[in-house]
Amino acid sequence: MGTSSSSTGPGGRSPLVPSWADADPGVPLPPPDGQRFRAFRTEFGRYVHGDGGVSLRSALGHYARTATGGGAVGPRRFGSAYQAGGSLFGLLGDLAAGGNGAAFAGVDLSGLAGRPLAYAAQEIARALAPENGDADRVRVAIQEAVAEVLPDMEIFDPAALTLDDVIAVMVEFLTRILFQQVVEDAGSAWNKAPSDERTAQAEGELFDLIKIALDRHLGPRLAAGGGRLPKAEVERLQRAAIDDVWRDWENFA
């Protein structure tokens, strides 16, 4: 994890959703409000500073309602992540069943079996990263998710992967995607932290809140499919989970 405290963050007039990341291409977007980040960054800065009575939930309420354009718009930002996540779920399941993953990654990845986990995570991430502005974000999130969930598997053994393992990787992946987006959108609000220790604490609290929400909203949906879900359905389930997160956050006072 790491903040973007050296950046002011995107401007209020920046697109609500970049065209290459839009999960609903062709659907018109409302014009961005030039002050859309103001309330979120003010509240987030107070939270990061440690002001009593200011909660992360309050900051995220402003994030969902105004900074991102509300629940009908905010979740559209993660189209690239939904697509990569759909491929990741299918790839891991295919490798676990003895396949080569080519249907999901475009290349034969069966040779990753028996290689160090760090190398396997790197190559899986490289194969699934999109060719657009989210390439680095998605690549890093996949690589870190695989390494974080499977630390005891020093040598990559796809045959040992369980459905629970795959779901845990998916939750970790989408958590890291959403976490990084909030971090970047907060921009200079991170500079309100009085110390590196407070910055790290705030990062951890944000990450944990996001992960708990996605574990609740995404995990059961994937588990209900029993590991046999087509890519398009996994994409839909990720979007549904993020939609639920936005609804939760919009209700944060």
Side-chain angles (χ1 to χ4, degrees), residues 155-190:
I155 301 301
F156 185 54
D157 180 9
L161 288 173
T162 66
L163 177 58
D164 286 346
D165 290 332
V166 176
I167 292 173
V169 169
M170 293 293 297
V171 169
E172 186 76 17
F173 162 69
L174 207 54
T175 295
R176 289 177 180 274
I177 289 289
L178 180 50
F179 169 80
Q180 191 59 42
Q181 188 63 53
V182 177
V183 163
E184 292 177 7
D185 286 342
S188 58
W190 284 102

PDB file of all heavy atoms in Angstrom, residues 155-190:
ATOM      1  N   ILE A 155       6.046 -22.516  -3.971  1.00  0.00           N
ATOM      2  CA  ILE A 155       6.105 -23.000  -5.347  1.00  0.00           C
ATOM      3  C   ILE A 155       4.676 -23.100  -5.859  1.00  0.00           C
ATOM      4  O   ILE A 155       3.827 -23.728  -5.228  1.00  0.00           O
ATOM      5  CB  ILE A 155       6.802 -24.372  -5.424  1.00  0.00           C
ATOM      6  CG1 ILE A 155       8.229 -24.279  -4.874  1.00  0.00           C
ATOM      7  CG2 ILE A 155       6.805 -24.876  -6.859  1.00  0.00           C
ATOM      8  CD1 ILE A 155       9.120 -23.284  -5.596  1.00  0.00           C
ATOM      9  N   PHE A 156       4.405 -22.445  -6.983  1.00  0.00           N
ATOM     10  CA  PHE A 156       3.045 -22.385  -7.494  1.00  0.00           C
ATOM     11  C   PHE A 156       2.548 -23.765  -7.889  1.00  0.00           C
ATOM     12  O   PHE A 156       3.118 -24.435  -8.756  1.00  0.00           O
ATOM     13  CB  PHE A 156       2.994 -21.450  -8.702  1.00  0.00           C
ATOM     14  CG  PHE A 156       1.603 -21.214  -9.231  1.00  0.00           C
ATOM     15  CD1 PHE A 156       0.589 -20.761  -8.399  1.00  0.00           C
ATOM     16  CD2 PHE A 156       1.310 -21.427 -10.571  1.00  0.00           C
ATOM     17  CE1 PHE A 156      -0.689 -20.528  -8.884  1.00  0.00           C
ATOM     18  CE2 PHE A 156       0.044 -21.195 -11.071  1.00  0.00           C
ATOM     19  CZ  PHE A 156      -0.966 -20.747 -10.226  1.00  0.00           C
ATOM     20  N   ASP A 157       1.471 -24.194  -7.246  1.00  0.00           N
ATOM     21  CA  ASP A 157       0.865 -25.498  -7.497  1.00  0.00           C
ATOM     22  C   ASP A 157      -0.626 -25.285  -7.752  1.00  0.00           C
ATOM     23  O   ASP A 157      -1.437 -25.333  -6.821  1.00  0.00           O
ATOM     24  CB  ASP A 157       1.065 -26.421  -6.299  1.00  0.00           C
ATOM     25  CG  ASP A 157       0.444 -27.802  -6.508  1.00  0.00           C
ATOM     26  OD1 ASP A 157       0.006 -28.093  -7.647  1.00  0.00           O
ATOM     27  OD2 ASP A 157       0.378 -28.574  -5.526  1.00  0.00           O
ATOM     28  N   PRO A 158      -1.009 -25.028  -8.989  1.00  0.00           N
ATOM     29  CA  PRO A 158      -2.413 -24.719  -9.269  1.00  0.00           C
ATOM     30  C   PRO A 158      -3.361 -25.850  -8.891  1.00  0.00           C
ATOM     31  O   PRO A 158      -4.524 -25.588  -8.560  1.00  0.00           O
ATOM     32  CB  PRO A 158      -2.427 -24.447 -10.777  1.00  0.00           C
ATOM     33  CG  PRO A 158      -1.167 -25.041 -11.307  1.00  0.00           C
ATOM     34  CD  PRO A 158      -0.175 -24.958 -10.202  1.00  0.00           C
ATOM     35  N   ALA A 159      -2.884 -27.080  -8.907  1.00  0.00           N
ATOM     36  CA  ALA A 159      -3.752 -28.206  -8.551  1.00  0.00           C
ATOM     37  C   ALA A 159      -4.186 -28.138  -7.092  1.00  0.00           C
ATOM     38  O   ALA A 159      -5.182 -28.755  -6.706  1.00  0.00           O
ATOM     39  CB  ALA A 159      -3.035 -29.533  -8.823  1.00  0.00           C
ATOM     40  N   ALA A 160      -3.439 -27.412  -6.285  1.00  0.00           N
ATOM     41  CA  ALA A 160      -3.765 -27.305  -4.862  1.00  0.00           C
ATOM     42  C   ALA A 160      -4.737 -26.169  -4.572  1.00  0.00           C
ATOM     43  O   ALA A 160      -5.198 -26.018  -3.436  1.00  0.00           O
ATOM     44  CB  ALA A 160      -2.485 -27.109  -4.053  1.00  0.00           C
ATOM     45  N   LEU A 161      -5.054 -25.349  -5.589  1.00  0.00           N
ATOM     46  CA  LEU A 161      -5.960 -24.221  -5.379  1.00  0.00           C
ATOM     47  C   LEU A 161      -7.382 -24.713  -5.112  1.00  0.00           C
ATOM     48  O   LEU A 161      -7.903 -25.579  -5.812  1.00  0.00           O
ATOM     49  CB  LEU A 161      -5.975 -23.315  -6.609  1.00  0.00           C
ATOM     50  CG  LEU A 161      -4.737 -22.464  -6.866  1.00  0.00           C
ATOM     51  CD1 LEU A 161      -4.870 -21.760  -8.216  1.00  0.00           C
ATOM     52  CD2 LEU A 161      -4.534 -21.445  -5.760  1.00  0.00           C
ATOM     53  N   THR A 162      -8.003 -24.147  -4.098  1.00  0.00           N
ATOM     54  CA  THR A 162      -9.401 -24.433  -3.800  1.00  0.00           C
ATOM     55  C   THR A 162     -10.264 -23.261  -4.267  1.00  0.00           C
ATOM     56  O   THR A 162      -9.760 -22.174  -4.563  1.00  0.00           O
ATOM     57  CB  THR A 162      -9.614 -24.629  -2.298  1.00  0.00           C
ATOM     58  OG1 THR A 162      -9.361 -23.384  -1.621  1.00  0.00           O
ATOM     59  CG2 THR A 162      -8.668 -25.702  -1.749  1.00  0.00           C
ATOM     60  N   LEU A 163     -11.577 -23.479  -4.306  1.00  0.00           N
ATOM     61  CA  LEU A 163     -12.479 -22.388  -4.662  1.00  0.00           C
ATOM     62  C   LEU A 163     -12.343 -21.236  -3.667  1.00  0.00           C
ATOM     63  O   LEU A 163     -12.367 -20.066  -4.053  1.00  0.00           O
ATOM     64  CB  LEU A 163     -13.929 -22.881  -4.700  1.00  0.00           C
ATOM     65  CG  LEU A 163     -14.996 -21.818  -4.988  1.00  0.00           C
ATOM     66  CD1 LEU A 163     -14.738 -21.115  -6.315  1.00  0.00           C
ATOM     67  CD2 LEU A 163     -16.389 -22.433  -4.950  1.00  0.00           C
ATOM     68  N   ASP A 164     -12.166 -21.573  -2.390  1.00  0.00           N
ATOM     69  CA  ASP A 164     -11.982 -20.527  -1.384  1.00  0.00           C
ATOM     70  C   ASP A 164     -10.740 -19.693  -1.679  1.00  0.00           C
ATOM     71  O   ASP A 164     -10.738 -18.469  -1.477  1.00  0.00           O
ATOM     72  CB  ASP A 164     -11.872 -21.140   0.014  1.00  0.00           C
ATOM     73  CG  ASP A 164     -13.216 -21.633   0.558  1.00  0.00           C
ATOM     74  OD1 ASP A 164     -14.256 -21.262  -0.015  1.00  0.00           O
ATOM     75  OD2 ASP A 164     -13.215 -22.394   1.545  1.00  0.00           O
ATOM     76  N   ASP A 165      -9.670 -20.348  -2.139  1.00  0.00           N
ATOM     77  CA  ASP A 165      -8.454 -19.613  -2.496  1.00  0.00           C
ATOM     78  C   ASP A 165      -8.724 -18.632  -3.638  1.00  0.00           C
ATOM     79  O   ASP A 165      -8.295 -17.470  -3.589  1.00  0.00           O
ATOM     80  CB  ASP A 165      -7.345 -20.580  -2.939  1.00  0.00           C
ATOM     81  CG  ASP A 165      -6.790 -21.425  -1.814  1.00  0.00           C
ATOM     82  OD1 ASP A 165      -6.816 -20.971  -0.655  1.00  0.00           O
ATOM     83  OD2 ASP A 165      -6.324 -22.545  -2.103  1.00  0.00           O
ATOM     84  N   VAL A 166      -9.408 -19.111  -4.648  1.00  0.00           N
ATOM     85  CA  VAL A 166      -9.686 -18.276  -5.821  1.00  0.00           C
ATOM     86  C   VAL A 166     -10.568 -17.098  -5.437  1.00  0.00           C
ATOM     87  O   VAL A 166     -10.329 -15.955  -5.859  1.00  0.00           O
ATOM     88  CB  VAL A 166     -10.336 -19.111  -6.934  1.00  0.00           C
ATOM     89  CG1 VAL A 166     -10.716 -18.214  -8.116  1.00  0.00           C
ATOM     90  CG2 VAL A 166      -9.385 -20.212  -7.402  1.00  0.00           C
ATOM     91  N   ILE A 167     -11.581 -17.349  -4.618  1.00  0.00           N
ATOM     92  CA  ILE A 167     -12.463 -16.259  -4.174  1.00  0.00           C
ATOM     93  C   ILE A 167     -11.676 -15.247  -3.351  1.00  0.00           C
ATOM     94  O   ILE A 167     -11.853 -14.026  -3.501  1.00  0.00           O
ATOM     95  CB  ILE A 167     -13.649 -16.819  -3.370  1.00  0.00           C
ATOM     96  CG1 ILE A 167     -14.574 -17.613  -4.300  1.00  0.00           C
ATOM     97  CG2 ILE A 167     -14.416 -15.698  -2.674  1.00  0.00           C
ATOM     98  CD1 ILE A 167     -15.688 -18.350  -3.587  1.00  0.00           C
ATOM     99  N   ALA A 168     -10.785 -15.726  -2.493  1.00  0.00           N
ATOM    100  CA  ALA A 168      -9.967 -14.819  -1.679  1.00  0.00           C
ATOM    101  C   ALA A 168      -9.078 -13.947  -2.557  1.00  0.00           C
ATOM    102  O   ALA A 168      -8.886 -12.754  -2.278  1.00  0.00           O
ATOM    103  CB  ALA A 168      -9.122 -15.617  -0.686  1.00  0.00           C
ATOM    104  N   VAL A 169      -8.519 -14.519  -3.620  1.00  0.00           N
ATOM    105  CA  VAL A 169      -7.713 -13.736  -4.558  1.00  0.00           C
ATOM    106  C   VAL A 169      -8.581 -12.664  -5.219  1.00  0.00           C
ATOM    107  O   VAL A 169      -8.154 -11.508  -5.367  1.00  0.00           O
ATOM    108  CB  VAL A 169      -7.071 -14.642  -5.621  1.00  0.00           C
ATOM    109  CG1 VAL A 169      -6.449 -13.803  -6.750  1.00  0.00           C
ATOM    110  CG2 VAL A 169      -6.005 -15.536  -5.006  1.00  0.00           C
ATOM    111  N   MET A 170      -9.783 -13.026  -5.602  1.00  0.00           N
ATOM    112  CA  MET A 170     -10.672 -12.073  -6.262  1.00  0.00           C
ATOM    113  C   MET A 170     -11.044 -10.911  -5.341  1.00  0.00           C
ATOM    114  O   MET A 170     -11.052  -9.754  -5.756  1.00  0.00           O
ATOM    115  CB  MET A 170     -11.942 -12.791  -6.731  1.00  0.00           C
ATOM    116  CG  MET A 170     -11.708 -13.803  -7.844  1.00  0.00           C
ATOM    117  SD  MET A 170     -11.189 -13.011  -9.388  1.00  0.00           S
ATOM    118  CE  MET A 170     -12.628 -12.026  -9.758  1.00  0.00           C
ATOM    119  N   VAL A 171     -11.360 -11.228  -4.088  1.00  0.00           N
ATOM    120  CA  VAL A 171     -11.704 -10.177  -3.120  1.00  0.00           C
ATOM    121  C   VAL A 171     -10.507  -9.260  -2.897  1.00  0.00           C
ATOM    122  O   VAL A 171     -10.634  -8.035  -2.864  1.00  0.00           O
ATOM    123  CB  VAL A 171     -12.186 -10.794  -1.792  1.00  0.00           C
ATOM    124  CG1 VAL A 171     -12.289  -9.735  -0.704  1.00  0.00           C
ATOM    125  CG2 VAL A 171     -13.532 -11.492  -1.980  1.00  0.00           C
ATOM    126  N   GLU A 172      -9.332  -9.853  -2.762  1.00  0.00           N
ATOM    127  CA  GLU A 172      -8.111  -9.066  -2.551  1.00  0.00           C
ATOM    128  C   GLU A 172      -7.818  -8.184  -3.766  1.00  0.00           C
ATOM    129  O   GLU A 172      -7.442  -7.008  -3.616  1.00  0.00           O
ATOM    130  CB  GLU A 172      -6.936  -9.996  -2.294  1.00  0.00           C
ATOM    131  CG  GLU A 172      -5.635  -9.306  -1.919  1.00  0.00           C
ATOM    132  CD  GLU A 172      -5.596  -8.798  -0.497  1.00  0.00           C
ATOM    133  OE1 GLU A 172      -6.422  -9.230   0.330  1.00  0.00           O
ATOM    134  OE2 GLU A 172      -4.723  -7.941  -0.209  1.00  0.00           O
ATOM    135  N   PHE A 173      -7.997  -8.732  -4.946  1.00  0.00           N
ATOM    136  CA  PHE A 173      -7.753  -7.980  -6.178  1.00  0.00           C
ATOM    137  C   PHE A 173      -8.650  -6.751  -6.266  1.00  0.00           C
ATOM    138  O   PHE A 173      -8.181  -5.625  -6.466  1.00  0.00           O
ATOM    139  CB  PHE A 173      -7.974  -8.885  -7.391  1.00  0.00           C
ATOM    140  CG  PHE A 173      -8.167  -8.142  -8.696  1.00  0.00           C
ATOM    141  CD1 PHE A 173      -7.119  -7.443  -9.276  1.00  0.00           C
ATOM    142  CD2 PHE A 173      -9.408  -8.137  -9.321  1.00  0.00           C
ATOM    143  CE1 PHE A 173      -7.299  -6.752 -10.477  1.00  0.00           C
ATOM    144  CE2 PHE A 173      -9.601  -7.455 -10.510  1.00  0.00           C
ATOM    145  CZ  PHE A 173      -8.536  -6.755 -11.090  1.00  0.00           C
ATOM    146  N   LEU A 174      -9.958  -6.953  -6.104  1.00  0.00           N
ATOM    147  CA  LEU A 174     -10.885  -5.833  -6.249  1.00  0.00           C
ATOM    148  C   LEU A 174     -10.720  -4.831  -5.108  1.00  0.00           C
ATOM    149  O   LEU A 174     -10.905  -3.621  -5.297  1.00  0.00           O
ATOM    150  CB  LEU A 174     -12.325  -6.348  -6.320  1.00  0.00           C
ATOM    151  CG  LEU A 174     -13.328  -5.463  -7.074  1.00  0.00           C
ATOM    152  CD1 LEU A 174     -12.847  -5.131  -8.478  1.00  0.00           C
ATOM    153  CD2 LEU A 174     -14.704  -6.120  -7.113  1.00  0.00           C
ATOM    154  N   THR A 175     -10.349  -5.330  -3.925  1.00  0.00           N
ATOM    155  CA  THR A 175     -10.057  -4.430  -2.809  1.00  0.00           C
ATOM    156  C   THR A 175      -8.919  -3.489  -3.169  1.00  0.00           C
ATOM    157  O   THR A 175      -8.980  -2.276  -2.928  1.00  0.00           O
ATOM    158  CB  THR A 175      -9.686  -5.223  -1.548  1.00  0.00           C
ATOM    159  OG1 THR A 175     -10.811  -5.988  -1.112  1.00  0.00           O
ATOM    160  CG2 THR A 175      -9.259  -4.304  -0.415  1.00  0.00           C
ATOM    161  N   ARG A 176      -7.856  -4.026  -3.732  1.00  0.00           N
ATOM    162  CA  ARG A 176      -6.693  -3.210  -4.074  1.00  0.00           C
ATOM    163  C   ARG A 176      -7.013  -2.211  -5.182  1.00  0.00           C
ATOM    164  O   ARG A 176      -6.500  -1.092  -5.182  1.00  0.00           O
ATOM    165  CB  ARG A 176      -5.517  -4.121  -4.461  1.00  0.00           C
ATOM    166  CG  ARG A 176      -4.955  -4.857  -3.261  1.00  0.00           C
ATOM    167  CD  ARG A 176      -3.836  -5.826  -3.589  1.00  0.00           C
ATOM    168  NE  ARG A 176      -3.383  -6.480  -2.361  1.00  0.00           N
ATOM    169  CZ  ARG A 176      -2.466  -5.982  -1.541  1.00  0.00           C
ATOM    170  NH1 ARG A 176      -1.865  -4.843  -1.838  1.00  0.00           N
ATOM    171  NH2 ARG A 176      -2.126  -6.625  -0.439  1.00  0.00           N
ATOM    172  N   ILE A 177      -7.870  -2.601  -6.102  1.00  0.00           N
ATOM    173  CA  ILE A 177      -8.280  -1.682  -7.171  1.00  0.00           C
ATOM    174  C   ILE A 177      -9.042  -0.494  -6.580  1.00  0.00           C
ATOM    175  O   ILE A 177      -8.747   0.678  -6.878  1.00  0.00           O
ATOM    176  CB  ILE A 177      -9.157  -2.421  -8.197  1.00  0.00           C
ATOM    177  CG1 ILE A 177      -8.326  -3.412  -9.029  1.00  0.00           C
ATOM    178  CG2 ILE A 177      -9.880  -1.425  -9.098  1.00  0.00           C
ATOM    179  CD1 ILE A 177      -7.375  -2.775 -10.018  1.00  0.00           C
ATOM    180  N   LEU A 178     -10.040  -0.769  -5.749  1.00  0.00           N
ATOM    181  CA  LEU A 178     -10.856   0.293  -5.178  1.00  0.00           C
ATOM    182  C   LEU A 178     -10.044   1.144  -4.196  1.00  0.00           C
ATOM    183  O   LEU A 178     -10.156   2.380  -4.179  1.00  0.00           O
ATOM    184  CB  LEU A 178     -12.085  -0.300  -4.496  1.00  0.00           C
ATOM    185  CG  LEU A 178     -13.054   0.687  -3.843  1.00  0.00           C
ATOM    186  CD1 LEU A 178     -13.442   1.818  -4.784  1.00  0.00           C
ATOM    187  CD2 LEU A 178     -14.300  -0.050  -3.351  1.00  0.00           C
ATOM    188  N   PHE A 179      -9.219   0.504  -3.395  1.00  0.00           N
ATOM    189  CA  PHE A 179      -8.361   1.229  -2.459  1.00  0.00           C
ATOM    190  C   PHE A 179      -7.487   2.245  -3.187  1.00  0.00           C
ATOM    191  O   PHE A 179      -7.408   3.415  -2.802  1.00  0.00           O
ATOM    192  CB  PHE A 179      -7.487   0.231  -1.688  1.00  0.00           C
ATOM    193  CG  PHE A 179      -6.380   0.866  -0.881  1.00  0.00           C
ATOM    194  CD1 PHE A 179      -6.631   1.427   0.357  1.00  0.00           C
ATOM    195  CD2 PHE A 179      -5.079   0.886  -1.365  1.00  0.00           C
ATOM    196  CE1 PHE A 179      -5.615   2.014   1.104  1.00  0.00           C
ATOM    197  CE2 PHE A 179      -4.051   1.465  -0.635  1.00  0.00           C
ATOM    198  CZ  PHE A 179      -4.322   2.034   0.612  1.00  0.00           C
ATOM    199  N   GLN A 180      -6.852   1.807  -4.261  1.00  0.00           N
ATOM    200  CA  GLN A 180      -5.955   2.700  -4.982  1.00  0.00           C
ATOM    201  C   GLN A 180      -6.708   3.867  -5.599  1.00  0.00           C
ATOM    202  O   GLN A 180      -6.201   4.998  -5.644  1.00  0.00           O
ATOM    203  CB  GLN A 180      -5.183   1.938  -6.060  1.00  0.00           C
ATOM    204  CG  GLN A 180      -4.045   2.738  -6.688  1.00  0.00           C
ATOM    205  CD  GLN A 180      -3.020   3.183  -5.671  1.00  0.00           C
ATOM    206  OE1 GLN A 180      -2.649   2.421  -4.779  1.00  0.00           O
ATOM    207  NE2 GLN A 180      -2.547   4.415  -5.787  1.00  0.00           N
ATOM    208  N   GLN A 181      -7.931   3.622  -6.064  1.00  0.00           N
ATOM    209  CA  GLN A 181      -8.720   4.707  -6.650  1.00  0.00           C
ATOM    210  C   GLN A 181      -9.057   5.762  -5.606  1.00  0.00           C
ATOM    211  O   GLN A 181      -8.946   6.969  -5.857  1.00  0.00           O
ATOM    212  CB  GLN A 181      -9.994   4.157  -7.282  1.00  0.00           C
ATOM    213  CG  GLN A 181     -10.772   5.181  -8.087  1.00  0.00           C
ATOM    214  CD  GLN A 181      -9.976   5.689  -9.279  1.00  0.00           C
ATOM    215  OE1 GLN A 181      -9.483   4.898 -10.075  1.00  0.00           O
ATOM    216  NE2 GLN A 181      -9.842   7.002  -9.401  1.00  0.00           N
ATOM    217  N   VAL A 182      -9.486   5.320  -4.424  1.00  0.00           N
ATOM    218  CA  VAL A 182      -9.817   6.272  -3.362  1.00  0.00           C
ATOM    219  C   VAL A 182      -8.572   7.044  -2.941  1.00  0.00           C
ATOM    220  O   VAL A 182      -8.609   8.266  -2.737  1.00  0.00           O
ATOM    221  CB  VAL A 182     -10.450   5.556  -2.155  1.00  0.00           C
ATOM    222  CG1 VAL A 182     -10.719   6.553  -1.027  1.00  0.00           C
ATOM    223  CG2 VAL A 182     -11.742   4.856  -2.544  1.00  0.00           C
ATOM    224  N   VAL A 183      -7.454   6.330  -2.808  1.00  0.00           N
ATOM    225  CA  VAL A 183      -6.189   6.969  -2.430  1.00  0.00           C
ATOM    226  C   VAL A 183      -5.826   8.079  -3.415  1.00  0.00           C
ATOM    227  O   VAL A 183      -5.475   9.201  -3.022  1.00  0.00           O
ATOM    228  CB  VAL A 183      -5.059   5.926  -2.373  1.00  0.00           C
ATOM    229  CG1 VAL A 183      -3.687   6.583  -2.404  1.00  0.00           C
ATOM    230  CG2 VAL A 183      -5.191   5.062  -1.115  1.00  0.00           C
ATOM    231  N   GLU A 184      -5.915   7.781  -4.694  1.00  0.00           N
ATOM    232  CA  GLU A 184      -5.547   8.766  -5.720  1.00  0.00           C
ATOM    233  C   GLU A 184      -6.524   9.938  -5.743  1.00  0.00           C
ATOM    234  O   GLU A 184      -6.115  11.094  -5.899  1.00  0.00           O
ATOM    235  CB  GLU A 184      -5.484   8.086  -7.082  1.00  0.00           C
ATOM    236  CG  GLU A 184      -4.349   7.087  -7.210  1.00  0.00           C
ATOM    237  CD  GLU A 184      -4.346   6.365  -8.537  1.00  0.00           C
ATOM    238  OE1 GLU A 184      -5.160   6.730  -9.421  1.00  0.00           O
ATOM    239  OE2 GLU A 184      -3.538   5.439  -8.700  1.00  0.00           O
ATOM    240  N   ASP A 185      -7.812   9.651  -5.574  1.00  0.00           N
ATOM    241  CA  ASP A 185      -8.800  10.719  -5.604  1.00  0.00           C
ATOM    242  C   ASP A 185      -8.692  11.629  -4.379  1.00  0.00           C
ATOM    243  O   ASP A 185      -9.037  12.816  -4.452  1.00  0.00           O
ATOM    244  CB  ASP A 185     -10.212  10.140  -5.699  1.00  0.00           C
ATOM    245  CG  ASP A 185     -10.533   9.580  -7.083  1.00  0.00           C
ATOM    246  OD1 ASP A 185      -9.816   9.932  -8.042  1.00  0.00           O
ATOM    247  OD2 ASP A 185     -11.491   8.794  -7.199  1.00  0.00           O
ATOM    248  N   ALA A 186      -8.208  11.105  -3.257  1.00  0.00           N
ATOM    249  CA  ALA A 186      -8.027  11.928  -2.052  1.00  0.00           C
ATOM    250  C   ALA A 186      -6.923  12.957  -2.265  1.00  0.00           C
ATOM    251  O   ALA A 186      -6.947  14.048  -1.674  1.00  0.00           O
ATOM    252  CB  ALA A 186      -7.711  11.051  -0.849  1.00  0.00           C
ATOM    253  N   GLY A 187      -5.945  12.625  -3.103  1.00  0.00           N
ATOM    254  CA  GLY A 187      -4.901  13.572  -3.474  1.00  0.00           C
ATOM    255  C   GLY A 187      -4.203  14.211  -2.288  1.00  0.00           C
ATOM    256  O   GLY A 187      -3.741  13.542  -1.366  1.00  0.00           O
ATOM    257  N   SER A 188      -4.169  15.536  -2.289  1.00  0.00           N
ATOM    258  CA  SER A 188      -3.404  16.268  -1.279  1.00  0.00           C
ATOM    259  C   SER A 188      -4.008  16.187   0.114  1.00  0.00           C
ATOM    260  O   SER A 188      -3.381  16.636   1.082  1.00  0.00           O
ATOM    261  CB  SER A 188      -3.265  17.737  -1.690  1.00  0.00           C
ATOM    262  OG  SER A 188      -4.545  18.329  -1.862  1.00  0.00           O
ATOM    263  N   ALA A 189      -5.211  15.637   0.249  1.00  0.00           N
ATOM    264  CA  ALA A 189      -5.787  15.469   1.589  1.00  0.00           C
ATOM    265  C   ALA A 189      -4.895  14.604   2.465  1.00  0.00           C
ATOM    266  O   ALA A 189      -4.893  14.738   3.691  1.00  0.00           O
ATOM    267  CB  ALA A 189      -7.185  14.855   1.490  1.00  0.00           C
ATOM    268  N   TRP A 190      -4.107  13.725   1.833  1.00  0.00           N
ATOM    269  CA  TRP A 190      -3.190  12.890   2.605  1.00  0.00           C
ATOM    270  C   TRP A 190      -2.136  13.725   3.324  1.00  0.00           C
ATOM    271  O   TRP A 190      -1.574  13.307   4.338  1.00  0.00           O
ATOM    272  CB  TRP A 190      -2.492  11.881   1.678  1.00  0.00           C
ATOM    273  CG  TRP A 190      -3.359  10.738   1.268  1.00  0.00           C
ATOM    274  CD1 TRP A 190      -3.983  10.580   0.070  1.00  0.00           C
ATOM    275  CD2 TRP A 190      -3.718   9.598   2.050  1.00  0.00           C
ATOM    276  NE1 TRP A 190      -4.699   9.397   0.056  1.00  0.00           N
ATOM    277  CE2 TRP A 190      -4.545   8.786   1.250  1.00  0.00           C
ATOM    278  CE3 TRP A 190      -3.400   9.187   3.349  1.00  0.00           C
ATOM    279  CZ2 TRP A 190      -5.079   7.582   1.710  1.00  0.00           C
ATOM    280  CZ3 TRP A 190      -3.924   7.982   3.818  1.00  0.00           C
ATOM    281  CH2 TRP A 190      -4.755   7.192   3.003  1.00  0.00           C
TER     282      TRP A 190
END
